Amino acid sequence: MSTTTARGAADYDGHRMTVSADDGTPIAVRTFGADDAQLTVVFAHGHCLRAESWSFLRDQLLRQLGMAAGGAGKYSGSDVRMVFYDHRGHGESGVAHPSTYTIEQLGRDLDAVLRSVVPTGPIILIGHSMGAMVTLAYARLFPATIGTRVVGVGLIAGAANGITEVGLGRFLNRRAVNSLQLAVLRAPRLMQASKRLSRRIFEPIAREANMGTKRTNPRMVAVAAAMMNETPLLTMSSFLASLMTFDETAALHHLGGIPALVLAGSADIVVPFAHSVVLASQLAGSELVRLDGAGHSVHLERAEEVALSIVALVDRAITAMHGNGPEYATAS
């Protein structure tokens, strides 16, 4: 294999590494672009998903940013770097004690990833669903980084609080969640078998909940279903209590001074679009983007449009940092 071909393959597949969270839990990370890139965009995925849930969007961004071989975007791998990682208990990251499966702990895990993988330079944080909540938790836990290290945020299908008030979250209640968690702890093999048997029933429901009203590529549906099915029941159930009580409205003022993208689908019944309207109204530097007909997995369904919005966020963040437009990244 030639050097050029090898470099192209590495650029496409990214560079894999493992980061240790503060309690020793291994966090699986994949990076794209140069370690010394001038700006790093870090992606936090949703509940029961994994870093690969960004794969369709990632491919679009590699092209639109100009990071892919032959890409025609305004940036390159030396300008913009992308970092994707699996939350604890998800994907290729390690499992931990269920008591650590909280949004706040994920905010601290994000900090561990940033300290290890992006020790210097400006950062844009992008989160989908639970990942957007992690971004808000991080802003509260590490407010000194906002506007200094963190120069932009993207909140995709996210909410600051109240997920049990509208949408599918209305069916969550403390008794049901406690009963599920107890059953998983007492009879994990039986519960896992039950999950496999019920897959045929729940997959169509999940597809409708996550994919919106328009016809969706069957491959995207298969990818999303596979990730949800592979997530351990202990992980799925243990995070529910934290999701139910999540409220980071008090942290929003930390993000008011930096560019923000708030994006969601109009047909999202998991975290309805009303949550995004509320978020955007409380972030002075936000752009609100509504994708008609898209569901909760808007980054899978409408990857090209979401990528365009993220590139625009990158442009705005660089403009805010330097005041001389997106050309800065390639001119400096």
Side-chain angles (χ1 to χ4, degrees), residues 73-117:
K74 64 185 74 175
Y75 303 106
S76 70
S78 62
D79 302 320
V80 180
R81 183 186 189 207
M82 295 193 294
V83 174
F84 303 85
Y85 70 100
D86 291 330
H87 295 307
R88 60 176 57 211
H90 293 77
E92 296 178 0
S93 288
V95 297
H97 193 276
S99 64
T100 70
Y101 287 175
T102 66
I103 307 299
E104 177 156 326
Q105 180 60 56
L106 295 187
R108 298 187 185 281
D109 290 350
L110 172 56
D111 179 62
V113 170
L114 297 182
R115 283 187 277 116
S116 297
V117 182

Side-chain angles (χ1 to χ4, degrees), residues 135-136 139-140 143 145-147 150-153 155 248-262 279-287 316 320:
T135 299
L136 296 179
R140 172 178 56 82
T145 66
I146 309 302
V150 178
V151 297
V153 293
L155 306 173
E248 290 289 359
T249 52
L252 293 176
H253 75 277
H254 294 303
L255 300 172
I258 62 175
L261 167 66
V262 180
L279 272 175
S281 70
Q282 298 180 72
L283 297 174
S286 69
E287 176 191 10
R316 288 199 292 133

Side-chain angles (χ1 to χ4, degrees), residues 219-244:
R219 180 168 169 250
M220 295 182 184
V221 176
V223 168
M227 285 185 284
M228 287 187 285
N229 287 329
E230 291 171 5
T231 302
L233 269 174
L234 185 60
T235 297
M236 183 274 288
S237 61
S238 297
F239 274 107
L240 291 178
S242 186
L243 288 167
M244 285 174 56

